[in-house]
Amino acid sequence: MITITYLHSNPGFFLFGVFLFGLIVGSFLNVVIYRLPLMLKREWKCDCIDFLSDEFKSEKYKLPSCIDEKAFNLSVPRSRCPSCGHKITALENIPIISWLALRAKCSKCQTKISARYPSIELITALLSLLVAYHFGVQWYTLATLLLTWALIALTMIDFDTQLLPDNISLPFLWLGILVSLIHISPIPIENSIIGAMLGYMSLWSIYQLFKLVTGKEGMGFGDFKLLALLGAWLGWQALPLILLLSALVGAIVGISLIIFMGRDKSIPIPFGPYLASAGFISLLWGEEIKQFYFQTMGL
Ligand SMILES: [Zn+2]
């Protein structure tokens, strides 16, 4: 454990390392955020075709085949310019720096490259730095870094597509219970398991009640799983604060979108980004917020 001792005595080196690594992870998250929903949709389409071709075997329906579609996953095919198809070289793929060096344009066709890509890289690096600074050199920091990256991916995917993929939510839910079980996390295992259960069931009950009263679906099942994930990582005691914070942030953002941007009230606003941000805030400052609240309430 020479490395850990070295990192302890060189906190600056540790933080700088985490920041740089955060940039690289941010670059990977850009790929996940863009490709994972497309991969899922292709998979669903294939499942539908498989199911229907069994169902209508004897009929004359001609269903499209999904076998000959080219491989598409997180590593294949290589990233290309969406306008001209120019393959992005390793040099053009350095987080932030390449975007600046290319002046936000494709090197071949000069089409603008969105500022969103370097922004996600920078945000990932900054949040990683914050987590590393907050928790210091310990295994729990590594675990919470993984959680932070998962939350960034879920936030952006839900924002773009209104999906919270199980491929991210479920493994991270189990990971949250695991880090409690092996005592990397300060959360006792009972609190983590009850957190996962209550997280899922609380939103599920609200959903059923809302559906019963209004006949509409106010949330998706992805939201229940995301709150279960947060409950597993932060323990059931954190759930009220997470729900309160996400409702608060959600209401502020939602109302200002309707008032200032003229957003149609009937367009559903994804709840995942608010849950994820509230979870992240509670992870870092949950105790401080609770203490502040009890103090101001004179309790
Ligand atoms: Zn191009």
Side-chain angles (χ1 to χ4, degrees):
M1 293 287 110
I2 299 164
T3 337
I4 292 186
T5 324
Y6 178 78
L7 290 177
H8 267 298
S9 49
N10 291 280
F13 180 80
F14 168 64
L15 293 177
F16 185 63
V18 168
F19 180 80
L20 282 189
F21 194 66
L23 284 177
I24 298 168
V25 172
S27 176
F28 174 67
L29 289 184
N30 273 321
V31 178
V32 174
I33 292 162
Y34 176 68
R35 290 195 184 185
L36 187 60
L38 293 177
M39 284 159 58
L40 289 173
K41 282 174 189 165
R42 282 167 67 113
E43 213 180 292
W44 296 333
K45 198 176 119 194
C46 254
D47 288 348
C48 288
I49 291 173
D50 274 353
F51 175 74
L52 288 175
S53 48
D54 275 353
E55 196 87 335
F56 297 114
K57 216 178 271 167
S58 52
E59 318 267 338
K60 282 194 292 272
Y61 296 112
K62 184 104 177 88
L63 287 165
S65 163
C66 63
I67 299 159
D68 55 16
E69 287 201 39
K70 287 197 185 77
F72 184 83
N73 54 45
L74 293 183
S75 52
V76 178
R78 283 254 309 274
S79 302
R80 285 166 183 274
C81 164
S83 284
C84 68
H86 161 69
K87 267 192 196 150
I88 292 162
T89 62
L91 256 184
E92 289 167 359
N93 215 358
I94 306 167
I96 299 179
I97 293 169
S98 294
W99 186 80
L100 291 174
L102 291 166
R103 296 208 180 85
K105 284 185 203 118
C106 166
S107 64
K108 200 164 171 218
C109 70
Q110 307 292 312
T111 304
K112 249 185 139 267
I113 307 169
S114 164
R116 179 182 151 143
Y117 300 105
S119 308
I120 287 177
E121 286 159 357
L122 190 62
I123 288 169
T124 308
L126 287 175
L127 292 182
S128 306
L129 182 67
L130 188 62
V131 165
Y133 177 76
H134 192 89
F135 292 110
V137 181
Q138 53 165 328
W139 287 114
Y140 186 55
T141 308
L142 183 64
T144 43
L145 279 174
L146 292 172
L147 172 67
T148 306
W149 300 334
L151 290 178
I152 295 172
L154 286 172
T155 297
M156 292 314 296
I157 292 174
D158 196 20
F159 183 76
D160 285 347
T161 63
Q162 314 246 320
L163 290 171
L164 287 166
D166 284 353
N167 314 39
I168 301 176
S169 307
L170 296 184
F172 276 89
L173 193 166
W174 300 124
L175 188 66
I177 294 178
L178 181 72
V179 291
S180 282
L181 183 69
I182 57 177
H183 304 294
I184 284 180
S185 151
I187 308 294
I189 181 70
E190 302 85 13
N191 297 356
S192 168
I193 294 173
I194 298 172
M197 280 162 38
L198 281 184
Y200 190 93
M201 282 157 57
S202 55
L203 280 192
W204 181 86
S205 321
I206 296 174
Y207 166 86
Q208 298 296 353
L209 203 70
F210 187 77
K211 209 173 150 188
L212 204 69
V213 175
T214 65
K216 286 184 203 150
E217 295 183 359
M219 274 177 279
F221 277 68
D223 297 316
F224 318 156
K225 290 173 215 164
L226 176 54
L227 192 61
L229 179 162
L230 294 172
W233 280 84
L234 302 172
W236 62 270
Q237 292 88 341
L239 292 173
L241 180 67
I242 294 172
L243 280 175
L244 208 70
L245 279 176
S246 50
L248 195 71
V249 180
I252 294 169
V253 175
I255 292 169
S256 27
L257 277 179
I258 290 166
I259 295 177
F260 298 110
M261 315 278 287
R263 195 185 160 114
D264 189 349
K265 267 191 290 232
S266 59
I267 300 175
I269 298 167
F271 193 42
Y274 306 123
L275 277 178
S277 335
F280 184 75
I281 294 170
S282 310
L283 174 74
L284 267 73
W285 303 291
E287 280 312 309
E288 285 87 341
I289 295 173
K290 264 188 253 170
Q291 265 169 26
F292 174 77
Y293 176 77
F294 288 136
Q295 261 165 25
T296 41
M297 297 299 284
L299 294 169

